[in-house]
């Protein structure tokens, strides 16, 4: 199993949109996929139509009174399960802080699912917190959506430094999102960062109002807009994510399973 996460200190940059679309695409490709919604806003749970009520709340998981296997729910899509978040997740930091190894709890919770899933994707709330620190510890590949602004490039540098100090740092995969090709600044910033860092994804997610429609349809983009430009971008991004995570191509994966 490969564990991925969408993370950025900044809010509203497309973390959840990416987590939901990529999880759907992983599942559509025949991979057993688990999406864990870690945000008390419960946006991923809402988009995938899973009721955001969690018995015992996030605390029960963190305290070890409940397993992820017990907390997960099927979605309407084959191969795709979801661990919903509810409003109790706002206190997840406090619950984590009260445990023995507060930065490793989430990794410990995900570990037992190793044989059950091919891919786990964690949708992280914004901010720097114990939750995000846990997520960084638990993941193989950290997907970092970036709106092309000078400030977001700086926060990426901070994240890169933070990750470099870890014993087992995850691989970073920054990708540009909400890009408007008509804006000169967007073109400049994407070009400059690409020149500086080899790890930036080749795929760019365009700014398109269709993405907001996910909340109206309560479905991943490929389901209600299969031929849209932005759907194709998420498909291309999934290919990059898949390769970077070391997951085999679809046909090969299907043959060996
Ligand atoms: N490429 C895009 N083009 C246009 N709108 C987008 C795009 N990606 C996301 N959005 C919209 O922007 C808003 C924020 O997106 P999203 O919820 O995915 O961000 P987030 O980083 O998860 O936010 P939060 O920090 O609150 O969890 C949503 O209304 C979403 O529909
Ligand atoms: Mg979100």
């Amino acid at each position: 199993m490969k564990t991925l996460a969408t993370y950025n200190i900044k809010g509203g940059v497309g973390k959840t949109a990416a987590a939901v679309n990529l999880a759907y695409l992983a599942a559509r490709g025949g991979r057993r996929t688990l999406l864990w919604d870690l945000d008390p806003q419960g946006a991923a749970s809402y988009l995938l139509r899973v009721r955001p009520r969690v018995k015992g709340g996030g605390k029960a998981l963190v305290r070890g009174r409940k397993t992820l296997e017990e907390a997960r729910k099927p979605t309407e899509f084959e191969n795709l399960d979801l661990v919903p978040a509810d409003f109790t997740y706002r206190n997840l930091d406090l619950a984590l802080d009260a445990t023995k190894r507060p930065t490793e709890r989430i990794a410990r919770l995900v570990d037992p699912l190793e044989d059950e899933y091919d891919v786990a994707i964690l949708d992280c709330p914004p901010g720097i917190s114990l939750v995000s620190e846990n997520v960084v510890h638990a993941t193989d590949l950290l997907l970092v959506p970036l709106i092309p602004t000078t400030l977001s490039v700086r926060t990426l540098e901070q994240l890169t430094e933070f990750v470099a100090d870890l014993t087992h740092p995850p691989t970073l995969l920054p990708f540009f999102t909400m890009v408007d090709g008509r804006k000169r600044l967007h073109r400049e910033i994407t070009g400059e960062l690409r020149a500086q860092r080899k790890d930036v994804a080749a795929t760019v997610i365009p700014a398109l109002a269709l993405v907001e429609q996910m909340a109206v349809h309560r479905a991943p983009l490929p389901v209600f807009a299969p031929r849209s430009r932005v759907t194709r971008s998420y498909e291309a991004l999934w290919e990059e994510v898949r390769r970077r995570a070391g997951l085999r191509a679809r046909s090969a994966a299907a043959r060996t399973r």
Side-chain angles (χ1 to χ4, degrees):
M1 180 177 76
K2 294 290 179 190
T3 307
L4 327 173
T6 49
Y7 175 64
N8 193 314
I9 297 166
K10 274 175 76 73
V13 295
K15 297 182 292 292
T16 300
V20 167
N21 288 317
L22 295 175
Y24 172 82
L25 290 169
R28 191 181 75 178
R31 292 192 167 81
R32 300 160 303 169
T33 306
L34 180 72
L35 176 60
W36 186 358
D37 185 355
L38 283 163
D39 189 334
Q41 298 174 97
S45 310
Y46 180 82
L47 293 175
L48 288 169
R49 299 172 186 250
V50 174
R51 264 183 54 196
R53 230 172 63 87
V54 187
K55 247 194 177 160
K59 204 165 156 184
L61 284 168
V62 167
R63 291 266 174 93
R65 286 199 301 264
K66 194 172 179 175
T67 62
L68 277 188
E69 207 172 359
E70 290 162 339
R72 70 175 166 194
K73 302 268 176 9
T75 67
E76 60 195 88
F77 306 110
E78 202 181 342
N79 293 323
L80 183 57
D81 291 342
L82 179 125
V83 180
D86 66 6
F87 204 48
T88 66
Y89 268 56
R90 74 189 185 283
N91 295 322
L92 211 56
D93 261 32
L94 294 174
L96 286 165
D97 202 27
T99 64
K100 264 206 190 118
R101 290 171 175 263
T103 59
E104 290 170 26
R105 285 303 306 161
I106 287 181
R108 294 274 164 102
L109 282 160
V110 174
D111 275 351
L113 296 171
E114 174 75 36
D115 296 329
E116 263 195 78
Y117 292 97
D118 302 304
V119 180
I121 301 184
L122 314 178
D123 183 28
C124 206
I128 307 178
S129 61
L130 256 181
V131 175
S132 53
E133 216 174 310
N134 262 270
V135 164
V136 172
H137 277 274
T139 52
D140 301 301
L141 189 64
L142 202 59
L143 312 170
V144 189
L146 298 172
I147 298 177
T149 64
T150 327
L151 198 65
S152 62
V153 170
R154 266 189 53 209
T155 51
L156 176 65
E157 282 163 13
Q158 289 167 342
L159 180 64
T160 308
E161 282 167 24
F162 171 71
V163 162
D165 286 339
L166 299 174
T167 335
H168 302 289
T171 305
L172 292 189
L173 180 52
F175 65 96
F176 282 107
T177 185
M178 302 194 196
V179 174
D180 184 345
R182 292 166 305 183
K183 290 188 179 159
R184 203 179 75 188
L185 193 64
H186 279 201
R187 291 197 304 274
E188 281 173 7
I189 290 178
T190 51
E192 278 168 22
L193 193 71
R194 285 236 176 75
Q196 279 168 28
R197 302 178 58 126
K198 292 275 168 290
D199 59 355
V200 179
T203 307
V204 153
I205 306 294
L208 273 186
L210 199 57
V211 182
E212 291 168 42
Q213 294 281 320
M214 286 174 72
V216 178
H217 294 273
R218 295 184 70 183
L221 276 164
V223 171
F224 68 90
R227 274 173 290 279
S228 156
R229 184 159 68 92
V230 69
T231 301
R232 299 242 198 271
S233 299
Y234 277 114
E235 286 168 346
L237 182 63
W238 167 245
E239 267 307 298
E240 283 195 69
V241 170
R242 182 189 67 66
R243 264 182 270 126
R244 202 76 72 86
L247 289 157
R248 269 169 303 202
R250 188 177 167 186
S251 53
R255 273 199 301 275
T256 53
R257 276 188 43 211

